[in-house]
Amino acid sequence: MSESRLLKNLGSSRHQYSKMPVVFVGHGSPMNGILQNSFSDTWATLAKKYPMPEAIVVVSAHWFTRGTRITAMDNPPTIHDFYGFPKALSEVQYPAPGNPILAEEIRQMVKTSQVVPDHDWGLDHGTWTVLRHFYPQAQIPVLQLSLDYTKAAKYHYELAQELTALRSKGVLIVGSGNMVHNLRMINWDMMDGGGYDWAISANETFKRHLINGNHQALVNYEQLGADVAQAIPTAEHYLPLLYTLALQADDEEPILFNDEVLGGSLTMTSVAFGL
């Protein structure tokens, strides 16, 4: 489904669903956390499509750990894990509460791997720059689930499948990264839009497999050719997409939004299931 169809369907009223949707957000620059632009406007509009969550679990590209961890504190701090940006960005706080009880439930839910409660991390910019547009009042409990950098893509996809029951318990699950993310190739003169041929090609490949429901091709992304290899020089920004894919139900259509290429080598392309 196109972004235009998504925006047409979004209304001010909230609809009741038997389960929460699951979303992958291309978060892009940390500046999106304080800017009002087409990306942040879509995030704010998107949140009006479904009921208010009981809690939110975010898999962010910016928490890469050995082993899988989950934030388990009552009040996770706002982490400003970037540099070289305006002071106003570093002053932002997103004081959402945590939910240690849910963290323990998730720990017990995952059987194929040990999930370790974490009291040292918090909400990094892959989380709060997006959620402050979704829910600016920061009233909903937020947890982060880390990415185990020692594991292959298949591990992440299969771990995410174990979280399926959360969707029926009012938990919104968000993957936050970027499908195409090669900062070594960034072109600052193209930040208003435009992409290298390989970035556009890789983005089209990802969208084709999303539309066709071809999860295995996306899990085995290393077999998708040279353009995709250049689009994913390291896996951390791509892996959150797999957590979203793994939770797609058979009857759920992918809804693409914010489908733009920026800076030559970065895409904001995002997808939701269950709206």
Side-chain angles (χ1 to χ4, degrees):
M1 184 183 293
S2 67
E3 179 175 356
S4 61
R5 182 177 166 192
L6 167 68
L7 295 178
K8 181 178 179 181
N9 288 346
L10 292 179
S12 59
S13 63
R14 295 186 179 276
H15 303 280
Q16 295 299 316
Y17 287 82
S18 59
K19 59 185 177 184
M20 293 298 294
V22 57
V23 183
F24 170 79
V25 176
H27 64 242
S29 167
M31 287 299 294
N32 289 321
I34 59 174
L35 294 176
Q36 183 174 350
N37 54 31
S38 62
F39 306 127
S40 61
D41 286 348
T42 300
W43 297 340
T45 306
L46 184 67
K48 298 175 183 177
K49 180 63 177 176
Y50 42 77
M52 192 73 72
E54 295 296 322
I56 304 169
V57 174
V58 181
V59 181
S60 166
H62 295 279
W63 196 20
F64 225 33
T65 60
R66 178 181 288 276
T68 302
R69 308 184 71 86
I70 191 161
T71 55
M73 66 284 283
D74 289 315
N75 297 289
T78 303
I79 300 174
H80 302 92
D81 50 333
F82 44 74
Y83 60 89
F85 290 92
K87 183 180 179 182
L89 188 63
S90 297
E91 291 177 342
V92 172
Q93 294 294 313
Y94 190 74
N99 188 329
I101 294 175
L102 178 58
E104 175 60 19
E105 183 176 347
I106 291 171
R107 188 189 70 79
Q108 295 184 26
M109 184 178 294
V110 176
K111 305 297 185 183
T112 59
S113 180
Q114 181 182 20
V115 177
V116 178
D118 185 277
H119 300 274
D120 298 321
W121 193 243
L123 307 182
D124 61 49
H125 82 266
T127 294
W128 63 261
T129 61
V130 174
L131 292 188
R132 73 186 307 262
H133 293 290
F134 273 56
Y135 305 108
Q137 296 181 347
Q139 76 275 42
I140 301 169
V142 180
L143 293 77
Q144 275 198 217
L145 185 70
S146 76
L147 293 164
D148 183 350
Y149 65 80
T150 70
K151 302 296 186 182
K154 184 173 181 285
Y155 164 89
H156 296 280
Y157 181 84
E158 292 178 349
L159 187 153
Q161 289 179 314
E162 298 187 82
L163 305 178
T164 299
L166 292 176
R167 293 186 59 189
S168 298
K169 296 183 177 183
V171 178
L172 174 65
I173 301 174
V174 178
S176 178
N178 295 98
M179 295 186 203
V180 175
H181 185 270
N182 189 334
L183 294 186
R184 291 175 290 185
M185 299 289 289
I186 201 81
N187 184 334
W188 297 106
D189 293 331
M190 301 172 71
M191 288 308 293
D192 289 334
Y196 299 121
D197 289 346
W198 58 263
I200 295 170
S201 171
N203 196 49
E204 291 301 315
T205 295
F206 297 144
K207 290 192 295 180
R208 183 175 69 254
H209 289 307
L210 284 168
I211 291 168
N212 292 334
N214 192 348
H215 290 196
Q216 287 310 304
L218 292 164
V219 171
N220 299 319
Y221 68 91
E222 293 170 310
Q223 301 175 20
L224 291 178
D227 290 342
V228 168
Q230 198 157 8
I232 311 175
T234 55
E236 76 286 341
H237 276 75
Y238 180 80
L239 291 175
L241 172 65
L242 302 186
Y243 283 77
T244 301
L245 282 183
L247 295 167
Q248 179 187 11
D250 291 340
D251 61 348
E252 290 177 340
E253 171 184 12
I255 298 175
L256 297 170
F257 60 99
N258 285 349
D259 183 19
E260 294 189 35
V261 186
L262 306 176
S265 61
L266 178 74
T267 59
M268 296 294 291
T269 305
S270 307
V271 64
F273 300 107
L275 291 179

